[in-house]
Amino acid sequence: MYGRKACQLVKEFATSEKEQLKTFNDDLFDQVIKECGSHNLGFQSLVRKMQDEGLDTQTARNGDFYGALIHHLSLVRNKRCLMAYMYNRAEVIRGLRWKLGRVLPEEIVKKLSNSEKDYLKGYSGALETYMNDMNLELTVDMVPPKDPYIKVRVLEDIGEVLLTDKSANLARHSMHFLKRTDAEPYISQGLMEELLS
């Protein structure tokens, strides 16, 4: 039945957990694209047949017209399902960029298609450019913290890094008192944790 594969694609996204991505379904996506191609060929051949018979494609109401209409409507439905799948995945990717920072964990990156990786790279670049031009860090907490400094414990060896006000050796299991803006990227990547007193 026409449109069933496209519907499966949308259902797959709809059944996933909120703000979580399943692996991009290349196989099903390609099958829907292939189905769109066959609908397009079917539509064109029926319209061409009507034109060869000298019928007006706008006013004729024969079997070929209704066949072409079914192909057209199936093509439009598949296109809408593909767009919904891509748009909703892009929304999740943007949300993850805001939550986790510039570098997403490898287990999330593995789930992205090549075009989604390019989209993430472009979106991150645009966001970084804007923040640099405006001299703002928009990805930090939306609620102002009580203290700009936080106490953190390093979970993975990061090494010597240059922070906004000093340089520090972030060795595994070491504890530091850092500016929140310096620590946030490492916390979101899971390389350190905030110690709440």
Side-chain angles (χ1 to χ4, degrees), residues 93-161:
I93 292 167
R94 283 194 302 268
L96 290 171
R97 167 56 179 96
W98 280 92
K99 278 185 183 172
L100 303 177
R102 181 181 9 197
V103 180
L104 295 182
E106 189 59 33
E107 64 268 10
I108 293 175
V109 174
K110 286 180 187 175
K111 296 177 181 179
L112 303 179
S113 68
N114 289 333
S115 61
E116 289 174 327
K117 290 174 186 172
D118 292 341
Y119 174 76
L120 175 63
K121 184 177 176 183
Y123 184 75
S124 290
L127 186 58
E128 292 291 325
T129 301
Y130 179 77
M131 289 190 299
N132 288 337
D133 290 349
M134 295 294 139
N135 198 23
L136 290 172
E137 178 56 49
L138 298 173
T139 56
V140 182
D141 292 334
M142 298 306 276
V143 177
K146 293 178 182 160
D147 190 357
Y149 288 88
I150 58 173
K151 190 173 185 180
V152 295
R153 178 186 6 248
V154 180
L155 301 174
E156 299 289 329
D157 191 29
I158 300 170
E160 188 75 27
V161 295

Side-chain angles (χ1 to χ4, degrees), residues 6-176:
C7 188
Q8 271 182 289
L9 203 57
V10 173
K11 282 182 181 176
E12 178 184 298
F13 181 82
T15 58
S16 64
E17 291 183 40
K18 188 173 173 69
E19 298 180 12
Q20 295 292 318
L21 284 177
K22 289 184 178 178
T23 302
F24 188 85
N25 196 335
D26 283 313
D27 183 44
L28 192 55
F29 195 86
D30 290 341
Q31 288 177 33
V32 176
I33 296 287
K34 190 174 181 180
E35 185 180 308
C36 287
S38 68
H39 282 306
N40 188 36
L41 291 174
F43 173 77
Q44 288 179 359
S45 69
L46 289 172
V47 169
R48 202 173 306 112
K49 181 181 174 190
M50 289 174 64
Q51 290 171 339
D52 291 345
E53 293 173 357
L55 298 172
D56 182 13
T57 57
Q58 299 296 319
T59 58
R61 297 292 183 259
N62 61 5
D64 291 335
F65 170 80
Y66 291 110
L69 181 63
I70 288 171
H71 282 297
H72 172 71
L73 293 176
S74 297
L75 187 60
V76 170
R77 183 172 190 270
N78 283 353
K79 178 183 162 186
R80 289 182 65 177
C81 289
L82 290 170
M83 294 298 290
Y85 183 73
M86 293 301 293
Y87 176 80
N88 285 306
R89 286 183 63 88
E91 284 278 302
V92 172
I93 292 167
R94 283 194 302 268
L96 290 171
R97 167 56 179 96
W98 280 92
K99 278 185 183 172
L100 303 177
R102 181 181 9 197
V103 180
L104 295 182
E106 189 59 33
E107 64 268 10
I108 293 175
V109 174
K110 286 180 187 175
K111 296 177 181 179
L112 303 179
S113 68
N114 289 333
S115 61
E116 289 174 327
K117 290 174 186 172
D118 292 341
Y119 174 76
L120 175 63
K121 184 177 176 183
Y123 184 75
S124 290
L127 186 58
E128 292 291 325
T129 301
Y130 179 77
M131 289 190 299
N132 288 337
D133 290 349
M134 295 294 139
N135 198 23
L136 290 172
E137 178 56 49
L138 298 173
T139 56
V140 182
D141 292 334
M142 298 306 276
V143 177
K146 293 178 182 160
D147 190 357
Y149 288 88
I150 58 173
K151 190 173 185 180
V152 295
R153 178 186 6 248
V154 180
L155 301 174
E156 299 289 329
D157 191 29
I158 300 170
E160 188 75 27
V161 295
L162 185 60
L163 304 171
T164 55
D165 57 351
K166 62 182 177 182
S167 68
N169 183 16
L170 302 177
R172 187 173 187 191
H173 300 301
S174 62
M175 293 200 275
H176 302 272

